[in-house]
Amino acid sequence: GDSVTQTEGQVALSEEDFLTIHCNYSASGYPALFWYVQYPGEGPQFLFRASRDKEKGSSRGFEATYDKGTTSFHLRKASVQESDSAVYYCALGDDTGNYKYVFGAGTRLKVIA
Amino acid sequence: ETAVFQTPNYHVTQVGNEVSFNCKQTLGHDTMYWYKQDSKKLLKIMFSYNNKQLIVNETVPRRFSPQSSDKAHLNLRIKSVEPEDSAVYLCASSHWGNYAEQFFGPGTRLTVL
């Protein structure tokens, strides 16, 4: 079945550090890939999506590029702020006709001022 | 205001009781979902509901049942709660299709004593 793997369970950075959160997926079709962010006490919020190979999604300074060859969609940000502290989820939407939407386990980011 | 609304915010109950959570969306979407989020922040889809078509995650125990009166409302009933049901229950909505982003409510935190 489809799956999403986020390598880092927790990441701790200082303000202005570069962020990378790794996301790899496994799917039978050609899925859409998503990043969501969840702040404490709230539900996850959509960050951005990419739906074809080499497409870059971006929002609020975060970006990720769909790479079908390496089955990856890594999240990056050049300079993190304390307000970026949250849980980040990578997700996929399967296009094979059997409706599936799969979330990764989440990565908790803590940014220290 | 257009969003996904959930009630109650919190609910504490005893083992064996029945509980019901409400979800309403004012985004004009045609698909709604229930997710369970555990203490480790793992997100697991329980149900999706589109135009009266219910798609059930086969791992969901039968004591859980969704109830929908129209496409803007999707409630969740738990017939006889057990301690492992303690979690945050998140409702979401979207347009139909695996490429659509989902919009989440703030969640209902259930504690089973």
Side-chain angles (χ1 to χ4, degrees):
Chain A
D2 295 351
S3 66
V4 175
T5 301
Q6 291 180 235
T7 311
E8 299 88 359
Q10 296 186 71
V11 174
L13 296 172
S14 299
E15 279 196 327
E16 300 184 10
D17 279 353
F18 189 93
L19 168 71
T20 300
I21 297 176
H22 294 94
C23 172
N24 289 91
Y25 69 92
S26 172
S28 50
Y30 204 136
L33 301 174
F34 304 80
W35 277 102
Y36 286 79
V37 57
Q38 185 177 25
Y39 299 102
E42 299 180 9
Q45 298 174 20
F46 170 75
L47 257 183
F48 55 81
R49 166 189 51 228
S51 55
R52 59 183 184 274
D53 193 22
K54 303 295 184 275
E55 180 181 359
K56 184 164 85 173
S58 63
S59 176
R60 311 182 208 175
F62 293 91
E63 63 179 41
T65 300
Y66 193 133
D67 190 328
K68 199 166 189 301
T70 59
T71 60
S72 66
F73 192 55
H74 305 317
L75 181 69
R76 305 183 200 279
K77 187 176 186 185
S79 176
V80 293
Q81 302 301 311
E82 191 175 11
S83 57
D84 294 326
S85 297
V87 179
Y88 292 82
Y89 292 95
C90 184
L92 71 79
D94 194 308
D95 72 334
T96 59
N98 298 319
Y99 180 82
K100 285 180 191 173
Y101 207 98
V102 179
F103 280 83
T107 298
R108 191 184 298 265
L109 170 65
K110 181 156 179 67
V111 181
I112 305 159
Chain B
E1 183 187 2
T2 55
V4 180
F5 302 93
Q6 291 186 241
T7 56
N9 294 328
Y10 303 92
H11 190 79
V12 180
T13 190
Q14 307 276 355
V15 169
N17 285 351
E18 176 175 317
V19 300
S20 189
F21 305 145
N22 301 313
C23 180
K24 170 187 170 182
Q25 56 95 3
T26 57
L27 295 162
H29 291 153
D30 55 10
T31 306
M32 296 184 73
Y33 316 81
W34 278 104
Y35 287 85
K36 180 180 180 181
Q37 186 173 46
D38 64 20
S39 58
K40 296 181 180 177
K41 296 291 192 180
L42 282 172
L43 269 173
K44 183 177 170 183
I45 190 163
M46 303 176 72
F47 306 99
S48 65
Y49 203 82
N50 168 261
N51 291 332
K52 302 192 187 304
Q53 179 191 13
L54 174 65
I55 301 172
V56 182
N57 184 326
E58 61 273 10
T59 66
V60 173
R62 295 183 70 175
R63 61 181 180 278
F64 289 84
S65 60
Q67 299 169 317
S68 178
S69 55
D70 56 55
K71 67 178 184 179
H73 296 82
L74 184 66
N75 299 332
L76 179 67
R77 186 180 77 157
I78 313 174
K79 208 167 180 181
S80 176
V81 296
E82 298 187 5
E84 60 264 32
D85 298 338
S86 294
V88 175
Y89 291 87
L90 289 158
C91 176
S93 71
S94 75
H95 293 297
W96 175 246
N98 300 338
Y99 284 29
E101 66 266 31
Q102 298 187 9
F103 293 78
F104 285 82
T108 295
R109 181 177 294 278
L110 173 66
T111 301
V112 181
L113 302 175

mmCIF file of all heavy atoms in Angstrom, chain B residues 3-24:
data_model
loop_
_atom_site.group_PDB
_atom_site.id
_atom_site.type_symbol
_atom_site.label_atom_id
_atom_site.label_comp_id
_atom_site.label_asym_id
_atom_site.label_seq_id
_atom_site.Cartn_x
_atom_site.Cartn_y
_atom_site.Cartn_z
ATOM 1 N N ALA B 3 -15.050 28.151 7.254
ATOM 2 C CA ALA B 3 -14.063 27.320 7.939
ATOM 3 C C ALA B 3 -14.690 25.971 8.265
ATOM 4 O O ALA B 3 -15.798 25.647 7.829
ATOM 5 C CB ALA B 3 -13.613 28.012 9.239
ATOM 6 N N VAL B 4 -13.946 25.177 9.045
ATOM 7 C CA VAL B 4 -14.423 23.909 9.567
ATOM 8 C C VAL B 4 -14.574 24.070 11.084
ATOM 9 O O VAL B 4 -13.618 24.455 11.759
ATOM 10 C CB VAL B 4 -13.449 22.770 9.232
ATOM 11 C CG1 VAL B 4 -13.976 21.458 9.797
ATOM 12 C CG2 VAL B 4 -13.234 22.671 7.723
ATOM 13 N N PHE B 5 -15.762 23.787 11.572
ATOM 14 C CA PHE B 5 -16.076 23.994 12.983
ATOM 15 C C PHE B 5 -16.333 22.647 13.659
ATOM 16 O O PHE B 5 -17.035 21.800 13.103
ATOM 17 C CB PHE B 5 -17.317 24.876 13.126
ATOM 18 C CG PHE B 5 -17.174 26.220 12.465
ATOM 19 C CD1 PHE B 5 -17.602 26.405 11.159
ATOM 20 C CD2 PHE B 5 -16.600 27.284 13.132
ATOM 21 C CE1 PHE B 5 -17.468 27.638 10.533
ATOM 22 C CE2 PHE B 5 -16.466 28.518 12.520
ATOM 23 C CZ PHE B 5 -16.893 28.697 11.216
ATOM 24 N N GLN B 6 -15.807 22.487 14.867
ATOM 25 C CA GLN B 6 -16.003 21.258 15.611
ATOM 26 C C GLN B 6 -16.479 21.575 17.019
ATOM 27 O O GLN B 6 -16.013 22.518 17.655
ATOM 28 C CB GLN B 6 -14.694 20.462 15.717
ATOM 29 C CG GLN B 6 -14.232 19.875 14.407
ATOM 30 C CD GLN B 6 -13.025 18.978 14.593
ATOM 31 O OE1 GLN B 6 -11.956 19.238 14.042
ATOM 32 N NE2 GLN B 6 -13.191 17.902 15.354
ATOM 33 N N THR B 7 -17.409 20.758 17.496
ATOM 34 C CA THR B 7 -17.841 20.843 18.904
ATOM 35 C C THR B 7 -17.972 19.426 19.453
ATOM 36 O O THR B 7 -18.343 18.495 18.714
ATOM 37 C CB THR B 7 -19.195 21.555 19.036
ATOM 38 O OG1 THR B 7 -20.171 20.888 18.225
ATOM 39 C CG2 THR B 7 -19.103 23.017 18.637
ATOM 40 N N PRO B 8 -17.664 19.242 20.728
ATOM 41 C CA PRO B 8 -17.060 20.194 21.653
ATOM 42 C C PRO B 8 -15.548 20.289 21.444
ATOM 43 O O PRO B 8 -14.993 19.556 20.635
ATOM 44 C CB PRO B 8 -17.375 19.554 23.019
ATOM 45 C CG PRO B 8 -17.313 18.081 22.735
ATOM 46 C CD PRO B 8 -17.878 17.914 21.346
ATOM 47 N N ASN B 9 -14.903 21.180 22.174
ATOM 48 C CA ASN B 9 -13.449 21.265 22.126
ATOM 49 C C ASN B 9 -12.817 20.119 22.920
ATOM 50 O O ASN B 9 -11.778 19.572 22.531
ATOM 51 C CB ASN B 9 -12.961 22.586 22.719
ATOM 52 C CG ASN B 9 -13.408 23.766 21.878
ATOM 53 O OD1 ASN B 9 -13.526 23.657 20.659
ATOM 54 N ND2 ASN B 9 -13.692 24.885 22.525
ATOM 55 N N TYR B 10 -13.433 19.799 24.043
ATOM 56 C CA TYR B 10 -12.930 18.755 24.929
ATOM 57 C C TYR B 10 -14.098 17.907 25.421
ATOM 58 O O TYR B 10 -15.220 18.412 25.544
ATOM 59 C CB TYR B 10 -12.246 19.342 26.182
ATOM 60 C CG TYR B 10 -11.121 20.279 25.889
ATOM 61 C CD1 TYR B 10 -11.351 21.650 25.779
ATOM 62 C CD2 TYR B 10 -9.825 19.807 25.722
ATOM 63 C CE1 TYR B 10 -10.313 22.525 25.510
ATOM 64 C CE2 TYR B 10 -8.787 20.683 25.447
ATOM 65 C CZ TYR B 10 -9.039 22.026 25.349
ATOM 66 O OH TYR B 10 -8.007 22.888 25.078
ATOM 67 N N HIS B 11 -13.816 16.646 25.697
ATOM 68 C CA HIS B 11 -14.845 15.785 26.292
ATOM 69 C C HIS B 11 -14.159 14.730 27.144
ATOM 70 O O HIS B 11 -13.239 14.060 26.670
ATOM 71 C CB HIS B 11 -15.692 15.123 25.201
ATOM 72 C CG HIS B 11 -16.892 14.419 25.737
ATOM 73 N ND1 HIS B 11 -18.049 15.077 26.096
ATOM 74 C CD2 HIS B 11 -17.112 13.112 26.005
ATOM 75 C CE1 HIS B 11 -18.933 14.203 26.541
ATOM 76 N NE2 HIS B 11 -18.391 13.004 26.494
ATOM 77 N N VAL B 12 -14.622 14.613 28.400
ATOM 78 C CA VAL B 12 -14.101 13.601 29.314
ATOM 79 C C VAL B 12 -15.251 12.669 29.656
ATOM 80 O O VAL B 12 -16.346 13.125 30.002
ATOM 81 C CB VAL B 12 -13.539 14.244 30.603
ATOM 82 C CG1 VAL B 12 -12.995 13.164 31.526
ATOM 83 C CG2 VAL B 12 -12.460 15.265 30.269
ATOM 84 N N THR B 13 -15.017 11.369 29.558
ATOM 85 C CA THR B 13 -16.088 10.419 29.798
ATOM 86 C C THR B 13 -15.538 9.128 30.389
ATOM 87 O O THR B 13 -14.320 8.941 30.498
ATOM 88 C CB THR B 13 -16.847 10.127 28.490
ATOM 89 O OG1 THR B 13 -18.040 9.388 28.759
ATOM 90 C CG2 THR B 13 -15.973 9.323 27.526
ATOM 91 N N GLN B 14 -16.449 8.259 30.778
ATOM 92 C CA GLN B 14 -16.062 6.982 31.380
ATOM 93 C C GLN B 14 -16.094 5.875 30.336
ATOM 94 O O GLN B 14 -16.851 5.947 29.349
ATOM 95 C CB GLN B 14 -17.040 6.621 32.508
ATOM 96 C CG GLN B 14 -17.227 7.698 33.565
ATOM 97 C CD GLN B 14 -16.157 7.643 34.624
ATOM 98 O OE1 GLN B 14 -15.319 6.745 34.630
ATOM 99 N NE2 GLN B 14 -16.162 8.617 35.520
ATOM 100 N N VAL B 15 -15.342 4.832 30.581
ATOM 101 C CA VAL B 15 -15.347 3.657 29.699
ATOM 102 C C VAL B 15 -16.772 3.123 29.563
ATOM 103 O O VAL B 15 -17.517 3.043 30.550
ATOM 104 C CB VAL B 15 -14.418 2.562 30.267
ATOM 105 C CG1 VAL B 15 -14.614 1.257 29.514
ATOM 106 C CG2 VAL B 15 -12.970 3.000 30.201
ATOM 107 N N GLY B 16 -17.162 2.794 28.337
ATOM 108 C CA GLY B 16 -18.468 2.210 28.074
ATOM 109 C C GLY B 16 -19.542 3.205 27.682
ATOM 110 O O GLY B 16 -20.593 2.810 27.168
ATOM 111 N N ASN B 17 -19.287 4.501 27.904
ATOM 112 C CA ASN B 17 -20.279 5.512 27.519
ATOM 113 C C ASN B 17 -20.303 5.725 26.010
ATOM 114 O O ASN B 17 -19.370 5.346 25.291
ATOM 115 C CB ASN B 17 -19.970 6.844 28.214
ATOM 116 C CG ASN B 17 -20.355 6.818 29.679
ATOM 117 O OD1 ASN B 17 -21.000 5.876 30.156
ATOM 118 N ND2 ASN B 17 -19.945 7.845 30.412
ATOM 119 N N GLU B 18 -21.377 6.365 25.566
ATOM 120 C CA GLU B 18 -21.484 6.748 24.160
ATOM 121 C C GLU B 18 -21.190 8.239 24.042
ATOM 122 O O GLU B 18 -21.611 9.041 24.883
ATOM 123 C CB GLU B 18 -22.890 6.469 23.638
ATOM 124 C CG GLU B 18 -23.096 6.925 22.201
ATOM 125 C CD GLU B 18 -24.451 6.536 21.641
ATOM 126 O OE1 GLU B 18 -24.892 5.386 21.873
ATOM 127 O OE2 GLU B 18 -25.076 7.372 20.967
ATOM 128 N N VAL B 19 -20.438 8.622 22.997
ATOM 129 C CA VAL B 19 -20.135 10.035 22.767
ATOM 130 C C VAL B 19 -20.422 10.368 21.312
ATOM 131 O O VAL B 19 -20.425 9.491 20.441
ATOM 132 C CB VAL B 19 -18.667 10.381 23.104
ATOM 133 C CG1 VAL B 19 -18.368 10.091 24.573
ATOM 134 C CG2 VAL B 19 -17.706 9.645 22.206
ATOM 135 N N SER B 20 -20.651 11.650 21.085
ATOM 136 C CA SER B 20 -20.906 12.107 19.722
ATOM 137 C C SER B 20 -20.243 13.454 19.524
ATOM 138 O O SER B 20 -20.374 14.346 20.372
ATOM 139 C CB SER B 20 -22.413 12.210 19.481
ATOM 140 O OG SER B 20 -22.678 12.448 18.126
ATOM 141 N N PHE B 21 -19.528 13.590 18.415
ATOM 142 C CA PHE B 21 -18.839 14.835 18.085
ATOM 143 C C PHE B 21 -19.423 15.412 16.806
ATOM 144 O O PHE B 21 -19.762 14.661 15.886
ATOM 145 C CB PHE B 21 -17.341 14.597 17.889
ATOM 146 C CG PHE B 21 -16.665 13.938 19.054
ATOM 147 C CD1 PHE B 21 -15.634 13.041 18.856
ATOM 148 C CD2 PHE B 21 -17.049 14.217 20.353
ATOM 149 C CE1 PHE B 21 -15.002 12.425 19.921
ATOM 150 C CE2 PHE B 21 -16.429 13.613 21.429
ATOM 151 C CZ PHE B 21 -15.411 12.711 21.210
ATOM 152 N N ASN B 22 -19.492 16.733 16.768
ATOM 153 C CA ASN B 22 -20.093 17.399 15.625
ATOM 154 C C ASN B 22 -19.057 18.125 14.774
ATOM 155 O O ASN B 22 -18.065 18.661 15.295
ATOM 156 C CB ASN B 22 -21.134 18.416 16.108
ATOM 157 C CG ASN B 22 -22.225 17.755 16.912
ATOM 158 O OD1 ASN B 22 -22.761 16.727 16.517
ATOM 159 N ND2 ASN B 22 -22.536 18.326 18.055
ATOM 160 N N CYS B 23 -19.315 18.154 13.470
ATOM 161 C CA CYS B 23 -18.448 18.866 12.538
ATOM 162 C C CYS B 23 -19.302 19.513 11.465
ATOM 163 O O CYS B 23 -20.195 18.870 10.896
ATOM 164 C CB CYS B 23 -17.440 17.933 11.909
ATOM 165 S SG CYS B 23 -16.335 18.764 10.735
ATOM 166 N N LYS B 24 -18.996 20.773 11.192
ATOM 167 C CA LYS B 24 -19.697 21.515 10.153
ATOM 168 C C LYS B 24 -18.669 22.302 9.348
ATOM 169 O O LYS B 24 -17.747 22.891 9.899
ATOM 170 C CB LYS B 24 -20.691 22.482 10.807
ATOM 171 C CG LYS B 24 -21.332 23.486 9.865
ATOM 172 C CD LYS B 24 -22.154 24.502 10.648
ATOM 173 C CE LYS B 24 -22.606 25.652 9.779
ATOM 174 N NZ LYS B 24 -23.369 26.661 10.536
#
